[in-house]
Amino acid sequence: MDGSPQVLIVGAGPTGLAAALFLSMRDVAVRIIDKAATPTTTSKALGVNPRTLDLLQASGVTARILAEAQTVARLHIHRHGRTLAEIHLDELDLDARLPLAILPQARTEALLTEALAARGVAVERDLALIDLQDAEMVTATLSSGESVRAPLLFAADGAHSAVRKALSLDFPGDAWDEPWQLIDVDLDGPPGDEAWIDFREDALFVCLPYSGARFRLIGFGPPLLDNLPEGWRAGAVRWRSDFHISHRMAAAMSLGHVALGGDAAHIHSPIGARGMNLGIEDAFVFADCAADFLSGQKERIRDYDRLRRPTDMAVVRRVRALTAFVRNTGAGADLARRAAIPVAARLPFLIERVARIGLGLDHPVRLR
């Protein structure tokens, strides 16, 4: 690529890579940079939901994801080890043509990168945005000292977005105090196609199938590996991280000739598995708006904010409410779960409503 792209993309995570791919498929010249010297090797996200698979299908990436991924057939919900409900996801009436695929984020990024390379686009690494000016065109100053001019810039540079800060855009929301644990570990005992949730006293334990005998544990409270369900045995720990949960939404998702997507625009709890997937939705809508803008429909870049911000904000609110429900360890919440979950499991329309949040089917992807 030369130094004068039609769209400069800052950030080569799944949102930025997807944006570059969707734009390239529309014959838009892109340049994508990332401050990291190497691609990620850890995997914050695991679930590639049916909506995302549908959006990526025309690129050929969906077929490659499904060739590697495993699927989740059941959700097993417990309270202190006792079953509250067992939900068969493959029996729900969700109008989903594609499954929920479990694939480490690092592999999803690698497959997106390979699809981009096939279109002649390579990620430029160890290259950060230092400053930007927005007039008739965006002028971006890079850490190499290079100055890049482009009609549009798409910020996919994460929760601490340099682009969002350069635009002085507020990122309002809230954060919760308790530390959460995330562990990728080899386990002997849990079913390989089942998600497992256990509500415990002052704790939450979530286990998701990862790959083969490897599983992801998420939760808060006592150390997760010291409190495995009866009959489970832990092997090698592949990765672990502690984190705090925030729910935030940028004050705007487009300003002038700059647009934001993914974690640069919104962050939320991993409960619901929407982070990476919501960012890829942003990328899909941005690509449509950007292609129209470049063809002369100048109002379309403003449409991006109009189309995505209310949708993303609604998802952040739903995920926050869902997380508050599973996070609350009080006696009232415990009683509500004991009473409500078994009843809801026998009412498909309620389970389907909750499942749609996690599967990305809770709203249409609007382009107009």
Side-chain angles (χ1 to χ4, degrees):
M1 301 294 295
D2 63 26
S4 301
Q6 292 173 287
V7 180
L8 175 64
I9 299 172
V10 180
T15 300
L17 291 167
L21 182 57
F22 291 138
L23 287 163
S24 296
M25 291 169 65
R26 293 171 175 269
D27 296 322
V28 173
V30 300
R31 186 174 177 186
I32 178 168
I33 66 171
D34 195 281
K35 66 180 180 180
T38 58
T40 183
T41 57
T42 56
S43 296
K44 296 179 182 178
L46 278 185
V48 187
N49 69 31
R51 168 61 56 71
T52 299
L53 292 173
D54 188 48
L55 297 180
L56 290 171
Q57 194 157 29
S59 71
V61 173
T62 292
R64 299 193 63 190
I65 289 174
L66 291 176
E68 295 188 24
Q70 62 186 91
T71 59
V72 175
R74 293 181 303 279
L75 173 62
H76 215 138
I77 305 175
H78 303 78
R79 175 185 173 271
H80 300 298
R82 294 186 175 183
T83 299
L84 289 177
E86 184 176 340
I87 299 165
H88 292 260
L89 299 175
D90 52 355
E91 295 178 2
L92 299 178
D93 184 14
L94 298 170
D95 298 323
R97 298 184 301 105
L98 296 160
L100 172 62
I102 302 298
L103 188 70
Q105 178 180 324
R107 281 303 300 153
T108 300
E109 291 186 14
L111 294 175
L112 289 168
T113 300
E114 290 169 11
L116 264 181
R119 293 181 171 274
V121 180
V123 177
E124 299 176 57
R125 295 198 167 274
D126 202 15
L127 195 58
L129 180 136
I130 302 301
D131 192 22
L132 67 86
Q133 302 294 325
D134 186 8
E136 293 297 320
M137 297 182 75
V138 178
T139 302
T141 303
L142 307 184
S143 55
S144 62
E146 180 185 4
S147 181
V148 180
R149 285 170 54 83
L152 293 174
L153 184 148
F154 185 63
D157 53 341
H160 302 289
S161 171
V163 174
R164 191 186 65 242
K165 292 174 182 177
L167 295 174
S168 298
L169 277 174
D170 288 339
F171 201 33
D174 58 18
W176 292 341
D177 292 334
E178 75 277 359
W180 285 58
Q181 307 162 54
L182 188 156
I183 304 172
D184 290 344
V185 59
D186 294 345
L187 289 177
D188 180 23
D193 63 349
E194 183 173 284
W196 180 288
I197 299 175
D198 192 4
F199 296 103
R200 302 171 175 178
E201 185 176 356
D202 297 326
L204 173 71
F205 179 92
V206 178
C207 178
L208 302 173
Y210 188 124
S211 176
R214 191 174 303 175
F215 293 80
R216 167 157 296 176
L217 305 183
I218 305 171
F220 61 85
L224 299 178
L225 290 177
D226 294 345
N227 294 273
L228 295 175
E230 186 177 354
W232 292 20
R233 292 184 301 278
V237 174
R238 305 295 180 170
W239 181 55
R240 63 191 311 157
S241 176
D242 290 343
F243 64 98
H244 289 78
I245 286 175
S246 296
H247 296 89
R248 301 186 183 278
M249 183 76 218
M253 288 185 66
S254 64
L255 187 65
H257 299 88
V258 180
L260 286 73
D263 287 355
H266 42 77
I267 55 173
H268 53 72
S269 153
I271 301 297
R274 293 300 295 275
M276 178 184 74
N277 294 287
L278 200 61
I280 292 175
E281 276 188 38
D282 293 339
F284 183 80
V285 177
F286 171 77
D288 190 75
C289 293
D292 289 345
F293 171 88
L294 293 166
S295 70
Q297 301 177 49
K298 299 303 182 184
E299 76 286 352
R300 287 289 281 155
I301 196 60
R302 292 190 298 274
D303 282 350
Y304 173 70
D305 180 81
R306 176 181 62 81
L307 291 166
R308 289 309 299 173
R309 192 165 182 274
T311 297
D312 291 347
M313 185 180 294
V315 171
V316 171
R317 286 173 176 165
R318 284 194 287 271
V319 171
R320 187 187 188 283
L322 184 60
T323 307
F325 174 76
V326 302
R327 169 182 180 252
N328 192 334
T329 57
D334 182 54
L335 178 62
R337 284 194 286 264
R338 279 188 289 157
I341 291 175
V343 172
R346 294 193 292 269
L347 298 174
F349 73 93
L350 287 178
I351 294 299
E352 288 165 6
R353 183 173 181 180
V354 175
R356 285 178 178 276
I357 297 175
L359 298 178
L361 304 173
D362 52 340
H363 62 263
V365 177
R366 296 173 52 225
L367 297 177
R368 295 286 173 176

